[in-house]
Amino acid sequence: MILQSTNRMNYIEQLNDPQKAAVLHPEGPLMIIAGAGSGKTRVLTYRIAHLIQHHGVDPFQILALTFTNKAAQEMRHRIEQVVGTEARNIWMGTFHSVFARILRYEADKLGYPSNFTIYDTEDSKSLIKAIVKELNLDDKVYKPNTVLNRISGAKNRLISWQEYNQNPIFNSDDASARVPKMGEIYRIYAQRCFKASAMDFDDLLFNTNVLFRDHLDVLNKYQHRFKHVLVDEFQDTNVSQYLITKKLSAVHRNFCVVGDDAQSIYAFRGADIQNILNFEKDFPEAFIVKLEQNYRSTGNIVEVANHIIKNNSAQLPKKVWTSNGPGNLIEVFRAATDNEEGRLVASSIFEEKMQRQTRHTEMAVLYRTNSQSRALEEALRKMNISYRIIGGLSFYQRKEIKDILAYFRFVINTQDEQAFKRIINLPKRGIGLTSVDKIVVSAFDHDLPIWQVLENISSFVPRLINVVGDFVSFIKRCQIEVTKNDAYQAATFIAQHSGLLKELYADKTVEGLSRYENVQELLNAVKEFVDDPEKEDKSLGAFLQEVALLTSEDTDKSQDNDRVTLMTIHSAKGLEFKNVYVVGMEEELFPSMMMLGSRADLEEERRLFYVAVTRAKSKLFLSHAFNRYRFGRMKTCEPSRFLDEIDPQYLKINHSTKKNSKPELAQHAQPSGQYAKSLVKKAPVKTTYTHQPGADFAPSDTTGLAQGMRVEHPKFGFGTVTNMDVQGANRKAKINFEMVGEKTLLLSFAKLKIHG
């Protein structure tokens, strides 16, 4: 292999000593403990390049697993810069995409066709909803989310529906939770998926384990094919993922894992931190490398992160450091209310933009729960600061897109029950829900594929013979197109001849035009897929698999390049920003009230805070409110215990806003420990509360003011009308203000802005 000498030398010279040790390690188990901002992606990339370039490893014999397609594509591109186009032959991708690829090759061993459908979360919920209805169960008790999470949890622990139903502990737990039919739903769900030739996301891992367990010849084939197995973000793996990769690396023992136990924050998705904590027990001969130099953040941010995480007992010891300067102190905003917290954050962002020319795209606001975004959004809008929220409805979840994709899916796999239900009366064919249910039930009762029922509809629902016959004929025409043509030609034919495109085009409303343009954009995506020279398989089935395995990170294609990013801390994992605002630093919010029941849960919350802090490169802002609306009521809040775990020398307390002067509220809000010391040292002696209305404040007409309305006063702030006195010449309103208590105002003089 002839390579440019600059590529051959430069990437090794760019590494520090621990990074170099990880890249140059020849064979055997290797664990790279990578602190935040320590260049783990560079190390993993160069290690793969080095295996190819200097150890002569065939790229086809390297398996590299990530958690997002975006990360895999970035790594492949970097490797290609060093070793050339050979990098395209590496088995690299997400766990789900790589294992789906293996399952396509070996599907017949498990009784599936190679063109099996991959159900997304909405498909799974829809099927569960139908099963709950068929069993005449209460859908308020057996909620699709709850049921799916229970089934997902079982599959991630490799518990089949048979094992689930035979386990008295699970049966007892379900009975105690008043969902005794959970096992039966799991059974029917699994059987219906199999009958529909469909796998959900968890099945891609579960069935790969079954494949390797029951077919040792297949396991042996892949064990010898992959001489090197590398796993990124190892701390996020679940039991199923670890077992598969451990089996695949059992022959050659070249198992390289990269991760940071301090950033293990996905237990709610099944991630098991014990995988990384116990790696040395499973592989006692493993070579351990610690990447402890942080290249991302300032010294103060790194030290704050270290102070936080040292309070966790379950961890692999390391001391992250940086040669960067100390930078700014971490600024803490103490707000009277959540609305004022939003205003303080928005004002700070505005100041950073105007005075320091920090671009909006370089700033992020992170919160524990999505509900916190409301006050922040209102404050940002008032100051005309553009923003984007990560975690909204993705392109591929829009109704019109799912409709056309369902047509594609059914043409490829006529056993796909969920796709059939979605398209059979779309556009309308006069087939009601009752008729659809009859077709599905007939297929299930007679143990027949749905397609066979449709082809022989006269035997099942005679009155539908004409309309269903036309539908069957159309699907057969589409199947011919799929066989003859590439994905784009086939997709265009289906979109045009199904009637969907025509129906959307006929809708001349703004919404209708947007939906039509979205479908056109989908066809553009198919064309882009077909034109990609790296895609060997140009079929519609291959395109559908790629779409089914996209993650939220892969579908965010916003064109606005200068917007502040708002997102949950979980969504921020793997990202970095110049300035980061972590809001809602209060007890029972962060750490969450739901995570205070055990030490393990609390330590996961602390790791989540660690992740939030280490997203910042230059400036970190923390904020908390003394009063916050939660569940429709104003609640007095205490500062988070995590603030108390930070050495006060790294904090700068912002006192531009003061807490409520009412004694009972002040008493509840008093922090203790190190955070309290920083307040005592820096706080002024006297504090008073003054409301600062926004620039757009203008008094409303109070003629229609009524009890229960929310209002704003230029001095007293926000409040709720508790009583109206309209007797006599002067109208009065009794208002309970959030920060100054109850006051009675004469409406002819009071300047009130009505907020609803």
Side-chain angles (χ1 to χ4, degrees):
M1 187 183 301
I2 300 175
L3 299 166
Q4 295 180 354
S5 59
T6 52
N7 284 342
R8 185 180 292 120
M9 298 298 297
N10 284 350
Y11 71 87
I12 297 295
E13 294 170 358
Q14 295 171 14
L15 305 174
N16 62 34
D17 288 344
Q19 290 175 335
K20 197 177 296 183
V23 169
L24 299 180
H25 179 68
E27 292 187 331
L30 170 64
M31 179 162 70
I32 304 169
I33 303 170
S38 62
K40 73 174 181 63
T41 303
R42 169 184 290 185
V43 170
L44 191 56
T45 297
Y46 289 165
R47 174 164 177 76
I48 294 171
H50 197 73
L51 288 172
I52 297 170
Q53 186 176 16
H54 289 278
H55 293 276
V57 179
D58 188 334
F60 283 103
Q61 295 181 316
I62 296 175
L63 172 62
L65 297 166
T66 68
F67 276 85
T68 68
N69 292 302
K70 184 178 178 182
Q73 290 163 5
E74 181 184 341
M75 261 200 290
R76 193 189 299 275
H77 177 69
R78 288 194 193 182
I79 297 168
E80 193 170 335
Q81 289 179 325
V82 180
V83 306
T85 56
E86 279 290 295
R88 298 176 187 176
N89 298 326
I90 301 168
W91 279 64
M92 180 180 287
T94 65
F95 283 88
H96 292 90
S97 66
V98 169
F99 297 154
R101 181 179 175 185
I102 291 174
L103 288 170
R104 296 276 181 207
Y105 292 140
E106 314 293 346
D108 61 306
K109 309 284 193 310
L110 299 175
Y112 284 87
S114 61
N115 64 343
F116 62 81
T117 295
I118 299 174
Y119 278 175
D120 66 13
T121 304
E122 291 307 311
D123 294 322
S124 296
K125 288 180 184 176
S126 178
L127 177 54
I128 288 170
K129 194 174 180 180
I131 294 169
V132 168
K133 182 180 178 182
E134 290 164 14
L135 293 175
N136 293 316
L137 299 174
D138 187 346
D139 58 5
K140 292 182 178 61
V141 175
Y142 293 91
K143 297 177 181 178
N145 264 336
T146 304
V147 176
L148 184 58
N149 287 339
R150 185 70 167 165
I151 293 173
S152 177
K155 288 181 181 178
N156 284 332
R157 298 195 305 276
L158 302 179
I159 300 166
S160 67
W161 67 263
Q162 294 94 332
E163 293 169 311
Y164 189 98
N165 281 282
Q166 292 168 6
N167 190 311
I169 296 176
F170 297 147
N171 296 334
S172 175
D173 287 347
D174 290 342
S176 298
R178 298 182 180 179
V179 284
K181 296 293 185 179
M182 192 70 77
E184 186 174 358
I185 297 173
Y186 184 9
R187 174 184 67 80
I188 298 172
Y189 174 80
Q191 291 175 340
R192 291 277 276 273
C193 284
F194 182 76
K195 193 176 183 65
S197 297
M199 297 187 197
D200 63 21
F201 287 147
D202 296 313
D203 285 329
L204 297 176
L205 304 178
F206 183 88
N207 286 335
T208 301
N209 272 294
V210 172
L211 176 70
F212 291 160
R213 181 196 68 195
D214 297 347
H215 301 274
L216 296 182
D217 56 327
V218 176
L219 173 61
N220 184 60
K221 178 173 72 174
Y222 288 102
Q223 284 176 330
H224 284 84
R225 170 172 293 178
F226 301 129
K227 287 188 175 178
H228 286 267
V229 177
L230 303 97
V231 178
D232 190 17
E233 303 287 5
F234 185 62
Q235 77 280 348
D236 294 334
T237 55
N238 59 30
V239 172
S240 180
Q241 290 163 330
Y242 183 34
L243 187 58
I244 294 170
T245 49
K246 189 177 173 184
K247 281 184 177 180
L248 286 173
S249 57
V251 171
H252 297 289
R253 303 288 285 182
N254 296 322
F255 191 18
C256 171
V257 301
V258 185
D260 181 7
D261 58 292
Q263 298 186 63
S264 178
I265 60 173
Y266 293 120
F268 68 96
R269 292 184 189 169
D272 189 348
I273 192 174
Q274 296 304 318
N275 290 347
I276 191 168
L277 295 179
N278 295 330
F279 185 80
E280 290 183 79
K281 293 180 182 178
D282 293 342
F283 295 89
E285 78 275 32
F287 182 62
I288 311 298
V289 178
K290 295 182 181 180
L291 306 182
E292 297 174 304
Q293 183 175 358
N294 182 300
Y295 291 93
R296 175 190 299 156
S297 306
T298 64
N300 286 335
I301 292 172
V302 169
E303 285 305 316
V304 165
N306 286 336
H307 273 82
I308 295 162
I309 205 62
K310 74 179 182 182
N311 292 282
N312 273 10
S313 56
Q315 61 174 298
L316 299 170
K318 62 179 177 298
K319 173 66 176 178
V320 179
W321 61 277
T322 184
S323 61
N324 299 334
N328 294 280
L329 293 175
I330 284 67
E331 191 162 355
V332 180
F333 295 141
R334 307 175 70 223
T337 66
D338 49 350
N339 285 328
E340 190 168 24
E341 179 186 46
R343 185 183 63 77
L344 283 171
V345 170
S347 297
S348 176
I349 290 172
F350 183 79
E351 181 180 330
E352 290 290 319
K353 171 86 170 180
M354 301 306 294
Q355 296 186 12
R356 298 172 183 85
Q357 288 71 55
T358 307
R359 300 182 70 233
H360 286 154
T361 191
E362 296 178 300
M363 295 184 273
V365 184
L366 310 182
Y367 35 77
R368 181 63 179 84
T369 65
N370 280 304
S371 61
Q372 291 172 253
S373 72
R374 179 200 58 79
L376 295 161
E377 288 185 73
E378 288 180 3
L380 292 170
R381 282 198 297 266
K382 283 181 180 179
M383 300 194 72
N384 293 319
I385 297 173
S386 57
Y387 64 89
R388 63 170 182 161
I389 296 181
I390 301 297
L393 189 65
S394 77
F395 177 80
Y396 288 99
Q397 291 300 317
R398 291 184 170 95
K399 179 185 180 301
E400 61 275 11
I401 300 302
K402 288 185 72 69
D403 289 344
I404 198 71
L405 287 176
Y407 262 101
F408 296 169
R409 282 168 43 182
F410 194 70
V411 170
I412 298 295
N413 172 19
T414 51
Q415 314 311 323
D416 189 335
E417 177 186 332
Q418 295 307 304
F420 162 73
K421 286 181 175 179
R422 193 171 190 105
I423 68 172
I424 185 60
N425 199 37
L426 194 72
K428 293 190 182 301
R429 297 183 175 89
I431 303 176
L433 288 175
T434 303
S435 298
V436 173
D437 288 342
K438 281 184 180 178
I439 294 172
V440 173
V441 171
S442 296
F444 197 69
D445 288 347
H446 294 85
D447 195 24
L448 294 172
I450 283 179
W451 184 246
Q452 194 169 332
V453 172
L454 294 176
E455 286 188 305
N456 299 278
I457 196 64
S458 59
S459 304
F460 298 97
V461 193
R463 68 180 185 79
L464 296 179
I465 186 169
N466 291 328
V467 65
V468 171
D470 291 341
F471 175 75
V472 168
S473 297
F474 170 65
I475 296 299
K476 288 180 177 178
R477 283 174 61 203
C478 293
Q479 288 173 329
I480 295 172
E481 293 294 323
V482 168
T483 304
K484 290 177 5 186
N485 299 310
D486 63 30
Y488 178 69
Q489 292 169 308
T492 303
F493 179 89
I494 296 170
Q496 290 176 343
H497 292 83
S498 65
L500 283 183
L501 210 55
K502 181 180 179 182
E503 185 174 81
L504 290 173
Y505 183 76
D507 185 352
K508 299 301 182 183
T509 64
V510 174
E511 294 79 7
L513 179 61
S514 176
R515 287 191 287 267
Y516 178 78
E517 289 174 347
N518 285 339
V519 173
Q520 292 294 345
E521 182 58 30
L522 173 65
L523 295 177
N524 291 340
V526 182
K527 187 68 167 68
E528 186 178 317
F529 171 85
V530 169
D531 291 343
D532 187 343
E534 294 187 16
K535 297 289 192 301
E536 294 181 10
D537 188 347
K538 312 281 188 181
S539 69
L540 187 60
F543 172 78
L544 283 176
Q545 173 169 313
E546 183 163 292
V547 168
L549 296 171
L550 286 175
T551 65
S552 59
E553 290 88 348
D554 303 313
T555 56
D556 179 26
K557 297 185 177 180
S558 170
Q559 298 301 310
D560 189 333
N561 293 322
D562 195 27
R563 293 190 290 172
V564 176
T565 300
L566 273 62
M567 64 179 127
T568 64
I569 303 168
H570 283 101
S571 299
K573 176 85 179 326
L575 303 178
E576 60 181 43
F577 300 89
K578 185 175 181 180
N579 293 1
V580 168
Y581 297 80
V582 185
V583 301
M585 295 298 303
E586 297 138 31
E587 283 294 297
E588 298 188 355
L589 181 57
F590 195 20
S592 167
M593 180 171 56
M594 305 296 291
M595 300 293 280
L596 298 176
S598 70
R599 179 171 295 279
D601 286 344
L602 179 59
E603 292 201 352
E604 171 125 347
E605 285 290 281
R606 188 174 285 112
R607 291 193 296 269
L608 189 60
F609 184 35
Y610 177 88
V611 167
V613 167
T614 54
R615 298 312 93 198
K617 294 194 287 187
S618 298
K619 289 187 176 183
L620 175 65
F621 302 84
L622 308 175
S623 69
H624 66 90
F626 289 101
N627 299 276
R628 181 179 298 274
Y629 268 107
R630 297 198 70 188
F631 310 111
R633 298 179 62 185
M634 177 63 78
K635 184 178 183 296
T636 303
C637 308
E638 296 181 27
S640 169
R641 69 188 70 189
F642 296 152
L643 291 173
D644 194 41
E645 295 173 356
I646 302 173
D647 191 317
Q649 67 173 308
Y650 298 110
L651 299 179
K652 174 186 175 184
I653 309 299
N654 183 308
H655 284 288
S656 63
T657 301
K658 312 304 175 191
K659 65 180 183 289
N660 195 320
S661 57
K662 293 175 71 175
E664 64 272 21
L665 293 184
Q667 183 179 2
H668 287 300
Q670 285 296 332
S672 59
Q674 295 193 110
Y675 183 52
K677 291 176 185 176
S678 67
L679 298 177
V680 170
K681 182 174 64 175
K682 300 177 183 180
V685 177
K686 188 177 180 181
T687 63
T688 56
Y689 170 76
T690 56
H691 177 68
Q692 298 180 15
D696 61 344
F697 181 88
S700 304
D701 179 2
T702 58
T703 305
L705 190 67
Q707 185 175 336
M709 283 188 172
R710 182 171 165 77
V711 297
E712 180 183 5
H713 187 276
K715 180 180 178 182
F716 304 139
F718 293 95
T720 302
V721 178
T722 58
N723 189 45
M724 292 290 297
D725 182 1
V726 295
Q727 303 299 320
N730 297 315
R731 297 172 67 245
K732 299 176 184 177
K734 186 176 286 186
I735 302 171
N736 185 20
F737 289 101
E738 296 170 1
M739 301 312 302
V740 297
E742 199 167 68
K743 290 188 177 292
T744 301
L745 302 180
L746 200 60
L747 294 180
S748 57
F749 291 100
K751 296 179 179 179
L752 296 175
K753 181 176 181 179
I754 300 175
H755 287 274

